[in-house]
Amino acid sequence: MTEQRTPPCGPTGLWTSIEDLWTWLDAGRKHDGETGLVLRMLKLTEEVGEVAQAVIGATGQNPRKGVTHTWEDVQGELCDVVITALVALRTLTPDAEGVFGRHLAGVTERSLGPAAP
């Protein structure tokens, strides 16, 4: 019987899911070392390509195919990009949550200015 999981709703659930996915992927990896690392990073490019394919399909930009996707498909593909990026980050560091949090805080401050006291 497959274990039922509650979808992650907050930061703790998100990072627990990322850790679980990383563990699962790491257990089934075919390549170790730098090759495995590079392949994990390249997976992100594949997922971004699927976003582009979905956008082209949602807008009907390929006259031969017409409309083949919905904007909901695009949303799903974007989610796949985010998940893949976070798993890739976890591949580089066990402190993915901290690294991401600090980076997000820096980008937010650079973009929006310092937080109000």
Side-chain angles (χ1 to χ4, degrees), residues 1-2 6 41 86 92 111:
M1 183 171 176
T2 305
T6 302
M41 301 306 130
L86 293 177
L92 291 174
S111 300

Side-chain angles (χ1 to χ4, degrees), residues 26-112:
D26 209 49
R29 71 177 181 244
K30 304 286 186 221
H31 301 279
D32 291 328
E34 190 171 283
T35 299
L37 181 67
V38 168
L39 290 171
R40 183 73 50 87
M41 301 306 130
L42 286 176
K43 179 67 176 164
L44 186 55
T45 302
E46 176 192 0
E47 295 298 340
V48 170
E50 291 176 11
V51 171
Q53 182 179 18
V55 169
I56 289 167
T59 58
Q61 290 302 301
N62 183 336
R64 185 175 54 82
K65 294 182 180 180
V67 175
T68 58
H69 291 74
T70 66
W71 287 105
E72 288 77 21
D73 294 329
V74 176
Q75 291 172 18
E77 295 300 344
L78 286 168
C79 290
D80 288 347
V81 169
V82 171
I83 293 164
T84 302
L86 293 177
V87 170
L89 180 60
R90 171 56 187 92
T91 299
L92 291 174
T93 176
D95 186 29
E97 181 177 4
V99 169
F100 182 76
R102 289 185 296 276
H103 190 80
L104 179 59
V107 169
T108 301
E109 185 170 332
R110 275 195 319 272
S111 300
L112 305 176

